[in-house]
């Protein structure tokens, strides 16, 4: 199957700082990438959808100025959590699909963010 | 918002037994998918069933879909300790732009 790499796998930062998470498709061109947030023992909540070369579409209730998403190339999307606060601590997961895909998504390994 | 509700929330069985998980959803769909997540890891795609399909098999997995009841089930036969994980259904809603909406998940524990 297609491989999606996510980095970093975990990060600890101080309140008020910004953190960038990268999501890369290693062996296919990801025309669409999705960013999810997951709290412990809960389901995935879609935050935003990004298409290469265009602005991300955010889900209702997700602050676009706080969670900056960039999808500048067909293999890389980034999520930047700006001015992070302890309530932003969570597990962030990206997924990707490409041309010719039949509906399944390929997920990164996730990034655990802890804001002190 | 959560499209799918899964039950049970947690399931504990002995190795060799079968595990059945159910998923209900609310809107019309293009397809329904099942994913597996080991603790603290990403999701792995297991199987996809389209809205015009009723049953699908993949190895020890059997998925059924009843669009009239808006429900699906995942059966894992002859379970193994390595099957211990969380399992999520996800729906690709009609007109949803290929976005997946995930269910609440079932935590499966398979004991030796």
């Amino acid at each position: 199957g297609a491989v999606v790499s996510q980095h970093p796998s975990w990060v600890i930062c101080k309140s008020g700082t910004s953190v960038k998470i990268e999501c890369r498709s290693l062996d296919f061109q990801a025309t669409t990438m999705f960013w999810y947030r997951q709290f412990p023992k809960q389901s995935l909540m879609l935050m935003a959808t990004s298409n290469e070369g265009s602005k991300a579409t955010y889900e209702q209730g997700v602050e676009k100025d706080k969670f900056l998403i960039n999808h500048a190339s067909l293999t890389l999307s980034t999520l930047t959590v700006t001015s992070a606060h302890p309530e932003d601590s969570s597990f962030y997961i990206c997924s990707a699909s490409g041309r010719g895909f039949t509906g399944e998504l390929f997920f990164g390994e996730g990034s655990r963010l802890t804001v002190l | 918002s959560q499209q799918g509700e899964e039950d049970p929330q947690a399931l504990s069985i002995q190795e060799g037994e079968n595990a059945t998980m159910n998923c209900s959803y609310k809107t019309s769909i293009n397809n329904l998918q099942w994913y597996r997540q080991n603790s603290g890891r990403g999701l792995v795609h297991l199987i996809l069933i389209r809205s015009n399909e009723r049953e699908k098999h993949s190895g020890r997995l059997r998925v059924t879909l009843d669009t009239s009841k808006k429900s699906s089930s995942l059966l894992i036969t002859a379970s193994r300790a390595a099957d211990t994980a969380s399992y999520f259904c996800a729906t690709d809603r009609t007109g949803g732009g290929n976005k997946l909406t995930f269910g609440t998940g079932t935590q499966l524990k398979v004991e030796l």
Side-chain angles (χ1 to χ4, degrees), chain A residues 79-93:
Chain A
L79 166 67
T80 302
V81 183
T82 62
S83 186
H85 291 281
E87 58 264 31
D88 298 326
S89 298
S90 191
F91 192 57
Y92 294 89
I93 311 177

Side-chain angles (χ1 to χ4, degrees), chain A residues 34 36 38 41-46 49 59 91 93 102-105 107-109, chain B residues 2 31 33 35 37 40-43 45 48 50 88 98-100 102-104 107:
Chain A
F34 303 90
Y36 295 84
Q38 186 180 33
K41 298 190 184 300
Q42 294 191 25
S43 187
L44 282 74
M45 292 180 60
L46 180 64
T49 303
E59 295 298 302
F91 192 57
I93 311 177
T102 55
E104 65 187 288
L105 296 182
F107 282 80
E109 283 294 298
Chain B
Q2 291 300 319
N31 63 66
Q33 305 177 37
Y35 287 82
Q37 183 182 34
R41 305 292 295 275
L43 275 71
H45 180 265
L48 180 153
R50 301 199 179 281
F88 294 92
N98 296 320
K99 293 189 298 186
L100 290 186
F102 284 82
T104 51
Q107 292 185 43

Side-chain angles (χ1 to χ4, degrees), chain A residues 13-17 37 39 66 81-92 113-116:
Chain A
C13 70
K14 292 182 179 180
S15 188
T17 60
R37 182 174 181 174
F39 291 104
K66 181 164 190 62
V81 183
T82 62
S83 186
H85 291 281
E87 58 264 31
D88 298 326
S89 298
S90 191
F91 192 57
Y92 294 89
L113 170 64
T114 301
V115 184
L116 303 176

Side-chain angles (χ1 to χ4, degrees), chain A:
Chain A
V3 179
V4 175
S5 173
Q6 194 171 334
H7 177 81
S9 56
W10 59 270
V11 56
I12 301 172
C13 70
K14 292 182 179 180
S15 188
T17 60
S18 294
V19 174
K20 180 184 284 188
I21 300 169
E22 293 186 349
C23 180
R24 293 180 185 273
S25 58
L26 299 186
D27 53 0
F28 68 101
Q29 293 184 328
T31 51
T32 305
M33 285 190 173
F34 303 90
W35 286 94
Y36 295 84
R37 182 174 181 174
Q38 186 180 33
F39 291 104
K41 298 190 184 300
Q42 294 191 25
S43 187
L44 282 74
M45 292 180 60
L46 180 64
M47 298 175 65
T49 303
S50 72
N51 294 299
E52 185 264 338
S54 60
K55 289 184 178 180
T57 302
Y58 290 80
E59 295 298 302
Q60 193 172 13
V62 177
E63 299 177 61
K64 61 181 181 181
D65 294 330
K66 181 164 190 62
F67 299 99
L68 301 179
I69 291 171
N70 183 279
H71 190 168
S73 78
L74 283 170
T75 59
L76 174 64
S77 177
T78 61
L79 166 67
T80 302
V81 183
T82 62
S83 186
H85 291 281
E87 58 264 31
D88 298 326
S89 298
S90 191
F91 192 57
Y92 294 89
I93 311 177
C94 70
S95 66
S97 66
R99 295 188 187 94
F101 276 32
T102 55
E104 65 187 288
L105 296 182
F106 294 93
F107 282 80
E109 283 294 298
S111 299
R112 182 162 303 283
L113 170 64
T114 301
V115 184
L116 303 176

